[in-house]
Amino acid sequence: MAHAHESNVKKIWMVFGLLSVVTIVEVALGIIKPDILHKSSFLGTSPLNWIFIILTLFKAYYIAWSFMHLEGEKKWFRRSIVWTGIFLICYLVTLLLVEGGYLFDTLSPLVRW
């Protein structure tokens, strides 16, 4: 028995809408830069940066979930793909924040930022 062709137009618009809303929130926060989020510090950087990092991870996960069709795969296969990507991204962010902080502290007497 042949499978009926399903229209994915509704799903595509749903993904487009959700990713658009998340991107609009990111852009709005980047333009407004609330002082309470931008001028304070939490775990080595501002809460605004953490919001950007978390929203970017969410978008990466949702894109993989939707466009790589992970919702139809086995649970542990999905987790192996998603957790590996999230771990590597978190590791990269940690390295960038640590090294960026070190460079800023080291070079701040020599360079006018």
Side-chain angles (χ1 to χ4, degrees), residues 33-41 47-48:
K33 285 187 185 177
D35 285 340
I36 194 154
L37 296 175
H38 181 61
K39 303 275 182 181
S40 58
S41 180
L48 186 62

Side-chain angles (χ1 to χ4, degrees), residues 2-86:
H3 294 293
H5 176 70
E6 295 180 22
S7 176
N8 289 324
V9 174
K10 182 179 177 184
K11 182 180 174 184
I12 291 171
W13 281 109
M14 182 69 173
V15 170
F16 173 74
L18 184 63
L19 292 176
S20 295
V21 167
V22 172
T23 302
I24 289 169
V25 168
E26 285 180 335
V27 170
L29 284 173
I31 291 172
I32 296 170
K33 285 187 185 177
D35 285 340
I36 194 154
L37 296 175
H38 181 61
K39 303 275 182 181
S40 58
S41 180
F42 177 71
L43 293 174
T45 188
S46 71
L48 186 62
N49 283 347
W50 285 115
I51 290 171
F52 288 145
I53 291 166
I54 291 167
L55 289 176
T56 302
L57 285 172
F58 170 76
K59 286 194 314 186
Y61 174 79
Y62 194 68
I63 288 169
W65 182 265
S66 297
F67 295 117
M68 291 177 64
H69 307 287
L70 291 180
E71 68 271 7
E73 298 294 338
K74 297 212 183 268
K75 181 169 71 170
W76 284 104
F77 181 67
R78 286 192 315 245
R79 288 182 180 176
S80 68
I81 291 172
V82 172
W83 288 356
T84 303
I86 288 177

Side-chain angles (χ1 to χ4, degrees), residues 80-104:
S80 68
I81 291 172
V82 172
W83 288 356
T84 303
I86 288 177
F87 170 75
L88 291 175
I89 291 170
C90 290
Y91 183 64
L92 174 67
V93 167
T94 302
L95 288 177
L96 289 174
L97 290 174
V98 169
E99 292 298 321
Y102 170 77
L103 285 174
F104 180 77

